Amino acid sequence: MQSVKPVRLAKMLSCFAWISMLALSSFAQSPSSPIQNVVNRKTISLNGDWHYIADPHEEGTARRYYLNGKLSGTRPFVEYDFNASPTLRVPGDWNFQRPELQLYEGTVWYQKSFDYHAPANTHVFLYFGAANYHARVWLNEKPLCEHEGGFTPFNCEATAALQDGQNVVIVSVNDARHADDIPSLRPDWFNYGGLTRDVRIVEVPRQFIEQYSIQLDRKNMGRINGWIRLGGASTPQKLSLRIPELKLSTEATTDNQGLARFTLNASGLQLWSPEKPKLYRVEISTESDQIVDEIGFRTIETRGTDILLNGRSIFLRGIDMHEEAVNRAGRAHGEDDARTLLGWAKELGCNFVRLAHYPHDESMIRMADRLGLMVWSEIPVYQGIDFKNPQTLAKAQQQLTEMIARDRNRAAIVLWSVSNETPKSAERNAFLHQLIVMARTLDPTRLITTATNQTNATEPHKRVFDDPIIADLDVFGVNQYIGWYEGVPADLDITIWSTPYNKPMIVSEFGGESKYGLHGAASQRWTEEYQEDIYKHQIAALRKIPFLRGTSPWILKDFRSPHRQLPGIQDGFNRKGLISESGERKKAFYVLQRFYRELAAQTSARAQ
Ligand code: GCB
């Protein structure tokens, strides 16, 4: 079997050595990575019903399920039949489609037949938006590729394995948790398994536009810089880039690696911002391929403790979110879910969302682009990581590469986060340092962050944010739960926050749990009033922190977590949501909304 994992990684790491020499150039470079912008390419959906067989004893490989029922070996019969087996909807986790799979963690084999006639001179890929966690893919009994990591896309080269007419694709997906994986053993979220995002056939010409980066120059807002890389091209190719609304166009020629760089004089363009999320139609064409995208142009940088969007200091009015569906169990997916979840963030008065704790579906980022919400996007380097293990680092690097490759042209993304709540140690610092350097090299146009909960609390009611990893970051996130996991809400009134670093801070988590509809005194845990009280004290405390440049409380909506088992209250849900899982707003929702409306009014008064 051709394995995407090691092949890609080797390519990626050798490319990385090469590109680190160019780290200071204003052009971002791309290592080997998934095809970008599949939504605007010629694709055929393989979504829908797939037959499946659960494989709790890990027998499927030995029994050659990938042969789709063909005899092999000496036995005169087989003991499985995909075509007579039940089905699961793709995209979708398996847990909430079949009651017997709700708590299942292990391997499920998926099978789908499709009719297909590949056009001449076409390169065909099977593209998976995400498969949680480890996937192996066969097409017409031939092994195609393997991929690890549950939240980023991958594509398998399928051209040679396709048949004219009937084809059968078989995918084994395993979501068992391991100590050396990313994430590790015990994340505080539900481990939804399966083919959780779109599956598509992607058709491209032999030489095709694989990756591109088109960004406003931080130092000169009248200039757009970028690069375009062709796949399958080994001789120089001409290409052109057009932004028709601005009457801009340029031409470039690729080098022998298929890479071309360009600069465009773009004075007069309307910048992307939360208030005016302007997107421009961008067209790229080569002699054999064309692609269009919708791209917003803005700059994001820091100065001292300020975060500057388009050169002006901003405050990020945010909320944290998991990727969970509304009014149904399972992972969120597609435009409708994105519109609902991000619509709630807008209703709260947000201009920012922290998409925790892993890269969300591409439709979420594209919706944020359109709605004008700045985004913090994160890889699942989350508590309990095996920092000493070089293979674990390689897994994190791969996920970081894939996240950036997919979303590098989305104006909404202002922050790449490399981790959440990792205990400081020399190994952890070195591990995160490598991720930070890599993120910056792959994308020098955005800010790098991480959420830390490591504080120095040597004196009561004093918090010093001196985690050494902050030295490496542009912006640091701080998660803290005074009033919930420690002390009482009134402690927030007397806590003094400081940091030795001259950098912007975002309070990237705070909050507490409440069950919607449970009322009582403000001192009574689990009531809406208790949660509301935390928000009141927290907001008063936030107002006093001079280096605070954003907040994103934990969390928009109650979400499933196996850690939360209090009957009648939690029932398997982490209840720190401002909204219940069925959409009811809790009292704290309105406290945050008032704060954000006040901040928004100040911002627009300043702008006038
Ligand atoms: C945290 C984690 C988040 C948890 C949250 C909680 O610090 O970052 O993933 O869900 O606390 O509710 O305890």
Side-chain angles (χ1 to χ4, degrees):
M1 173 179 291
Q2 176 215 336
S3 164
V4 164
K5 193 170 47 173
V7 170
R8 238 200 220 161
L9 205 55
K11 257 172 138 183
M12 183 179 91
L13 295 174
S14 71
C15 252
F16 188 61
W18 169 70
I19 56 184
S20 51
M21 296 187 300
L22 300 166
L24 297 175
S25 115
S26 60
F27 297 101
Q29 304 293 319
S30 169
S32 176
S33 44
I35 301 179
Q36 224 176 25
N37 189 11
V38 285
V39 297
N40 286 311
R41 293 184 193 260
K42 181 142 187 274
T43 65
I44 295 153
S45 174
L46 290 181
N47 290 349
D49 291 339
W50 290 55
H51 293 285
Y52 80 94
I53 299 173
D55 184 13
H57 290 190
E58 299 293 334
E59 275 284 295
T61 308
R63 289 172 182 260
R64 306 197 193 181
Y65 284 3
Y66 50 83
L67 295 183
N68 195 32
K70 289 222 172 97
L71 284 178
S72 69
T74 52
R75 224 186 259 183
F77 59 91
V78 291
E79 294 178 77
Y80 70 94
D81 180 354
F82 277 111
N83 293 329
S85 295
T87 57
L88 286 169
R89 261 186 338 277
V90 172
D93 52 273
W94 63 60
N95 311 79
F96 289 92
Q97 298 194 46
R98 299 266 164 191
E100 65 277 20
L101 295 181
Q102 183 165 338
L103 293 179
Y104 178 75
E105 292 187 302
T107 296
V108 169
W109 292 75
Y110 288 78
Q111 180 257 32
K112 189 169 182 76
S113 304
F114 59 96
D115 230 40
Y116 183 66
H117 304 275
N121 295 322
T122 304
H123 217 46
V124 185
F125 293 94
L126 292 189
Y127 181 92
F128 296 83
N132 188 35
Y133 170 83
H134 182 193
R136 291 181 298 158
V137 183
W138 289 262
L139 181 61
N140 300 323
E141 297 146 48
K142 295 187 192 71
L144 275 198
C145 68
E146 175 177 18
H147 179 263
E148 189 170 339
F151 301 97
T152 44
F154 60 100
N155 41 261
C156 310
E157 165 66 65
T159 318
L162 280 163
Q163 287 165 186
D164 198 44
Q166 255 253 314
N167 289 270
V168 179
V169 57
I170 292 182
V171 186
S172 89
V173 185
N174 180 295
D175 75 341
R177 289 164 292 110
H178 303 105
D180 59 349
D181 285 350
I182 303 288
S184 184
L185 286 172
R186 276 177 279 280
D188 183 21
W189 67 81
F190 195 92
N191 187 25
Y192 295 102
L195 297 175
T196 52
R197 296 187 187 153
D198 294 317
V199 182
R200 306 167 193 252
I201 298 171
V202 183
E203 293 175 357
V204 293
R206 294 261 164 220
Q207 291 179 347
F208 64 100
I209 302 157
E210 189 178 42
Q211 280 272 330
Y212 50 90
S213 163
I214 304 175
Q215 305 281 321
L216 204 60
D217 190 325
R218 262 185 187 171
K219 300 206 171 55
N220 177 352
M221 282 198 251
R223 199 160 68 187
I224 293 172
N225 292 327
W227 53 263
I228 299 167
R229 199 187 63 211
L230 305 186
S234 51
T235 52
Q237 304 287 312
K238 277 214 166 103
L239 49 84
S240 74
L241 175 104
R242 288 183 357 106
I243 308 180
E245 197 181 329
L246 293 169
K247 299 193 173 47
L248 286 179
S249 65
T250 190
E251 296 197 336
T253 305
T254 59
D255 62 16
N256 289 340
Q257 271 83 46
L259 185 75
R261 292 178 182 145
F262 63 85
T263 294
L264 271 177
N265 188 344
S267 51
L269 62 70
Q270 189 181 320
L271 298 171
W272 184 96
S273 71
E275 293 74 32
K276 292 201 181 112
K278 171 70 185 163
L279 301 177
Y280 287 96
R281 181 184 163 94
V282 175
E283 303 170 352
I284 306 171
S285 44
T286 68
E287 280 157 31
S288 55
D289 197 11
Q290 298 85 39
I291 196 159
V292 297
D293 208 342
E294 298 281 314
I295 300 184
F297 298 101
R298 53 104 194 91
T299 58
I300 189 80
E301 52 196 325
T302 62
R303 191 172 52 214
T305 58
D306 276 336
I307 300 175
L308 308 178
L309 176 74
N310 299 327
R312 298 177 74 155
S313 173
I314 44 155
F315 188 89
L316 306 181
R317 308 187 304 269
I319 189 70
D320 294 326
M321 291 169 52
H322 264 297
E323 186 180 50
E324 256 189 18
V326 174
N327 282 329
R328 62 168 206 277
R331 280 252 167 262
H333 171 268
E335 287 210 351
D336 289 347
D337 285 341
R339 196 173 292 107
T340 305
L341 290 164
L342 296 179
W344 287 351
K346 294 285 283 187
E347 182 191 332
L348 255 180
C350 294
N351 62 8
F352 169 62
V353 286
R354 175 178 176 220
L355 301 182
H357 282 300
Y358 38 76
H360 288 209
D361 189 24
E362 186 169 353
S363 52
M364 193 73 91
I365 319 289
R366 286 189 178 263
M367 188 62 72
D369 246 9
R370 277 184 252 149
L371 295 181
L373 284 160
M374 293 176 279
V375 170
W376 161 318
S377 185
E378 181 164 297
I379 50 169
V381 174
Y382 177 96
Q383 300 174 1
I385 298 293
D386 186 0
F387 288 120
K388 295 192 179 121
N389 188 334
Q391 276 160 0
T392 305
L393 175 62
K395 292 175 193 184
Q397 287 174 321
Q398 176 161 337
Q399 294 185 34
L400 182 65
T401 307
E402 290 166 348
M403 171 175 77
I404 294 176
R406 193 192 68 182
D407 294 335
R408 65 179 348 135
N409 292 305
R410 303 283 71 82
I413 298 194
V414 292
L415 288 157
W416 298 124
S417 166
V418 298
S419 70
N420 177 72
E421 294 191 354
T422 53
K424 48 190 175 192
S425 70
E427 291 84 14
R428 170 275 215 171
N429 296 348
F431 187 106
L432 295 190
H433 175 75
Q434 295 201 55
L435 293 177
I436 291 163
V437 171
M438 185 180 210
R440 235 180 232 127
T441 310
L442 293 174
D443 181 5
T445 73
R446 289 184 175 77
L447 305 176
I448 311 301
T449 193
T450 196
T452 174
N453 59 349
Q454 305 291 291
T455 59
N456 200 337
T458 45
E459 285 180 62
H461 307 305
K462 280 207 171 148
R463 288 302 147 91
V464 184
F465 301 110
D466 60 357
D467 186 338
I469 204 64
I470 298 173
D472 261 357
L473 303 169
D474 297 308
V475 174
F476 65 103
V478 162
N479 297 353
Q480 62 76 42
Y481 286 92
I482 298 173
W484 185 253
Y485 290 123
E486 47 172 320
V488 292
D491 289 339
L492 284 156
D493 308 347
I494 47 171
T495 304
I496 294 168
W497 308 50
S498 66
T499 177
Y501 297 102
N502 183 34
K503 298 196 177 191
M505 179 177 88
I506 295 175
V507 173
S508 40
E509 288 184 25
F510 71 83
E513 299 200 28
S514 79
K515 163 95 173 154
Y516 171 74
L518 183 66
H519 294 289
S523 57
Q524 195 185 332
R525 207 174 267 267
W526 312 109
T527 61
E528 287 193 45
E529 286 72 15
Y530 190 98
Q531 186 190 35
E532 180 188 37
D533 199 43
I534 295 179
Y535 273 72
K536 285 183 178 161
H537 287 278
Q538 183 76 56
I539 288 168
L542 295 173
R543 291 179 190 276
K544 294 188 274 187
I545 305 171
F547 46 95
L548 184 77
R549 289 297 176 274
T551 53
S552 56
W554 193 252
I555 186 170
L556 182 66
K557 183 179 81 66
D558 291 350
F559 63 97
R560 265 171 218 275
S561 166
H563 303 191
R564 315 290 171 173
Q565 294 301 338
L566 203 57
I569 292 181
Q570 294 176 311
D571 301 309
F573 284 85
N574 182 318
R575 298 256 176 234
K576 296 192 186 71
L578 294 173
I579 302 181
S580 73
E581 75 276 24
S582 39
E584 294 111 336
R585 278 76 172 147
K586 304 181 192 172
K587 293 183 97 176
F589 178 95
Y590 299 103
V591 177
L592 188 66
Q593 190 186 53
R594 268 197 303 281
F595 178 50
Y596 282 171
R597 284 186 175 163
E598 179 196 322
L599 294 178
Q602 284 166 8
T603 308
S604 59
R606 266 203 308 275
Q608 276 152 27

